[in-house]
């Protein structure tokens, strides 16, 4: 493609520009974006023709801009800034692969995180402070989560020698909120996520697809005829728990069991035996009930492919409507994969993974 590549169809009309260390790439093709929550966003493309060796270097900065006539503000979804990690040279084509600045967190120097650094602090701000590194824009991380670190959490996850990303991931592992209001189904939890969704700006976000008032920004539907190759769904029963026994780790003669008979009749029995540091039978019974309620149904996810560029980003809420299967699910975007060449192919993975049982016991 030429340096200023115009891609247009009925819904999209914009130009794309690629620079490496400020040098415009005159001719390129096969631009691919790959993004996943809690991970670095990756891009790759093929650079054609003669490109000076000093430009194509590992560690060089790649910036991709996009906009209507290159005058309007860069489209957020396509704005990328990162560093070259892989080069694949051949006779007249070089394949370039780059990662956004989250890669700096993964390869940072090792830090010694102590109890004093974390105990009593909001996990959101601990993660934001660790992410403030090597030109990552953390200026928008001001909301807080009101989830504070207790001594058990510090000792188990947040202390010791770690890279910045390992510490941030440990913070986010603990950043779950349970919702008990009438606006949510029983025992609903929400999980914080993070990503650089545009340029170098790091976002912390809390996808909320379960609220009865959730408003999807896009509907994938057979009726709308907006799916290129249909819908590939995954309804996974492998992690169902419909019978749970909680045993006191202090006195193993004290235990309680809760079983959901409807789930057992539908999916077969799938039991779990867990220990918890309490001798209160009512507490053990409550935990067994909550764990079953959270895990008695299959997990649902979809891969959805369309041939237009929609303003859909990580964490956004979408609806998947499949009349033939009587499905009408509202889910958050966990991954996307964009291929831009002569046209556009966009593939989205939507659906939320289930909390592990050990983590459930921490947050219930």
């Amino acid at each position: 493609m030429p340096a200023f590549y115009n891609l247009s169809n009925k819904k999209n009309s914009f130009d794309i520009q690629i620079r490496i260390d400020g040098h415009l790439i005159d001719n390129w093709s096969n631009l691919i974006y790959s993004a996943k929550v809690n991970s670095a966003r990756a891009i790759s493309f093929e650079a054609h023709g003669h490109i000076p060796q000093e430009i194509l270097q590992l560690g060089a900065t790649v910036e991709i801009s996009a906009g209507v006539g290159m005058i309007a503000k860069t489209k957020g979804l396509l704005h990328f800034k990162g560093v070259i990690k892989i080069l694949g040279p051949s006779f007249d084509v070089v394949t370039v692969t780059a990662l956004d600045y989250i890669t700096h967190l993964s390869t940072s120097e090792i830090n010694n995180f102590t109890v004093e650094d974390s105990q009593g602090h909001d996990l959101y701000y601990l993660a934001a402070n660790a992410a403030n590194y090597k030109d990552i824009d953390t200026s928008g991380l001001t909301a807080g989560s009101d989830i504070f670190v207790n001594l058990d959490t510090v000792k188990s996850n947040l202390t010791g020698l770690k890279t910045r990303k390992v510490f941030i991931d440990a913070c986010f592992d603990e950043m779950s909120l349970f919702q008990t209001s009438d606006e949510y189904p029983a025992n609903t939890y929400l999980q914080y996520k993070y990503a650089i969704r545009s340029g170098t700006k790091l976002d912390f976000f809390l996808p909320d697809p379960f609220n009865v008032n959730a408003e999807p920004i896009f509907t994938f539907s057979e009726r709308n005829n907006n799916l290129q190759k249909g819908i590939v769904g995954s309804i996974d029963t492998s992690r169902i728990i419909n019978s749970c026994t909680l045993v006191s780790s202090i006195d193993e003669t004290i235990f309680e069991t809760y079983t959901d008979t409807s789930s057992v009749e539908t999916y077969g029995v799938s039991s779990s035996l867990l220990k918890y540091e309490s001798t209160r039978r009512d507490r053990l019974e409550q935990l067994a009930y909550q764990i079953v309620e959270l895990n008695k149904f299959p997990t649902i996810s979809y891969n959805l492919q369309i041939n237009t560029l929609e303003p859909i980003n990580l964490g956004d809420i979408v609806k998947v409507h499949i009349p033939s299967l009587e499905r009408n699910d509202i889910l958050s975007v966990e991954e996307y994969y964009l291929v831009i060449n002569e046209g556009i192919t966009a593939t989205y993975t939507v659906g939320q993974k289930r909390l592990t049982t050990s983590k459930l016991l921490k947050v219930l």
Side-chain angles (χ1 to χ4, degrees):
M1 306 295 171
F4 288 90
Y5 170 47
N6 179 265
L7 180 63
S8 62
N9 57 33
K10 291 181 180 179
K11 288 194 174 184
N12 306 290
S13 178
F14 55 90
D15 297 308
I16 299 175
Q17 181 186 114
I18 300 177
R19 292 182 181 272
I20 298 178
D21 279 349
H23 299 278
L24 192 64
I25 300 302
D26 293 325
N27 202 3
W28 58 267
S29 64
N30 201 32
L31 174 60
I32 297 172
Y33 289 74
S34 179
K36 184 178 180 180
V37 295
N38 300 356
S39 301
R41 185 167 55 150
I43 62 95
S44 66
F45 63 91
E46 295 174 353
H48 299 264
H50 175 70
I51 301 173
Q53 186 66 33
E54 62 269 19
I55 295 176
L56 288 179
Q57 295 286 338
L58 294 175
T61 300
V62 177
E63 183 160 16
I64 300 175
S65 303
V68 178
M70 294 308 298
I71 298 174
K73 185 178 179 181
T74 296
K75 277 184 175 284
L77 182 67
L78 297 183
H79 186 203
F80 174 90
K81 193 170 185 179
V83 294
I84 295 177
K85 289 293 185 177
I86 302 173
L87 290 172
S90 61
F91 177 67
D92 60 352
V93 176
V94 179
T95 301
V96 179
T97 301
L99 298 178
D100 71 23
Y101 284 178
I102 286 177
T103 189
H104 294 323
L105 302 174
S106 300
T107 59
S108 75
E109 74 284 356
I110 302 299
N111 290 271
N112 185 22
F113 295 94
T114 67
V115 171
E116 293 74 22
D117 294 332
S118 301
Q119 187 176 358
H121 292 280
D122 188 318
L123 285 159
Y124 183 106
Y125 292 122
L126 287 175
N129 184 61
N132 187 14
Y133 183 68
K134 285 194 174 182
D135 296 324
I136 295 173
D137 181 358
T138 59
S139 61
L141 303 180
T142 60
S145 66
D146 289 331
I147 304 173
F148 295 92
V149 180
N150 59 41
L151 188 58
D152 290 338
T153 299
V154 170
K155 288 182 176 179
S156 61
N157 294 318
L158 300 180
T159 58
L161 299 171
K162 307 174 188 293
T163 64
R164 290 171 180 263
K165 189 175 189 303
V166 169
F167 178 78
I168 290 167
D169 286 340
C171 290
F172 274 81
D173 280 345
E174 304 295 331
M175 290 169 65
S176 300
L177 290 175
F178 276 79
Q179 303 294 334
T180 57
S181 76
D182 293 339
E183 295 181 344
Y184 292 89
N187 296 309
T188 294
Y189 75 90
L190 304 177
Q191 181 71 48
Y192 274 90
K193 309 287 177 67
Y194 70 89
I196 293 177
R197 297 188 282 190
S198 179
T200 62
K201 184 180 180 182
L202 183 62
D203 293 325
F204 293 175
F205 45 95
L206 186 65
D208 190 6
F210 307 113
N211 192 298
V212 295
N213 298 313
E215 296 184 1
I217 67 166
F218 189 80
T219 298
F220 296 91
S221 174
E222 297 168 340
R223 288 179 178 173
N224 292 352
N225 197 31
N226 59 11
L227 293 163
Q228 186 176 3
K229 293 186 177 180
I231 299 172
V232 179
S234 174
I235 302 176
D236 182 6
T237 62
S238 65
R239 296 183 67 181
I240 282 179
I241 299 174
N242 49 30
S243 180
C244 183
T245 299
L246 259 294
V247 182
S248 169
S249 60
I250 300 170
D251 181 354
E252 293 192 357
T253 65
I254 300 174
F255 60 90
E256 291 293 333
T257 298
Y258 176 77
T259 300
D260 187 282
T261 55
S262 177
S263 177
V264 169
E265 290 173 359
T266 304
Y267 305 110
V269 65
S270 182
S271 64
S272 181
L273 176 65
L274 302 171
K275 291 185 177 182
Y276 188 73
E277 192 175 350
S278 175
T279 57
R280 289 176 47 192
R281 290 185 179 275
D282 61 335
R283 178 59 173 155
L284 297 176
E285 184 179 23
Q286 178 193 36
L287 287 172
Y289 168 78
Q290 287 181 294
I291 288 171
V292 169
E293 286 298 300
L294 284 165
N295 293 281
K296 67 183 181 180
F297 296 116
T299 54
I300 299 169
S301 63
Y302 298 98
N303 282 345
L304 310 156
Q305 189 176 106
I306 59 178
N307 57 4
T308 60
L309 182 66
E310 303 293 340
I312 303 170
N313 215 322
L314 297 174
D316 285 342
I317 306 304
V318 299
K319 179 185 286 188
V320 182
H321 181 50
I322 315 174
S324 59
L325 298 180
E326 298 183 352
R327 303 293 313 185
N328 199 34
D329 298 302
I330 296 177
L331 302 163
S332 62
V333 176
E334 298 291 305
E335 301 179 45
Y336 68 77
Y337 186 79
L338 306 176
V339 179
I340 300 173
N341 208 5
E342 296 301 327
I344 295 173
T345 301
T347 303
Y348 302 92
T349 300
V350 302
Q352 191 168 24
K353 293 183 179 179
R354 189 168 277 158
L355 288 176
T356 63
T357 50
S358 61
K359 185 176 176 183
L360 279 172
L361 287 176
K362 289 183 181 180
V363 298
L364 281 174

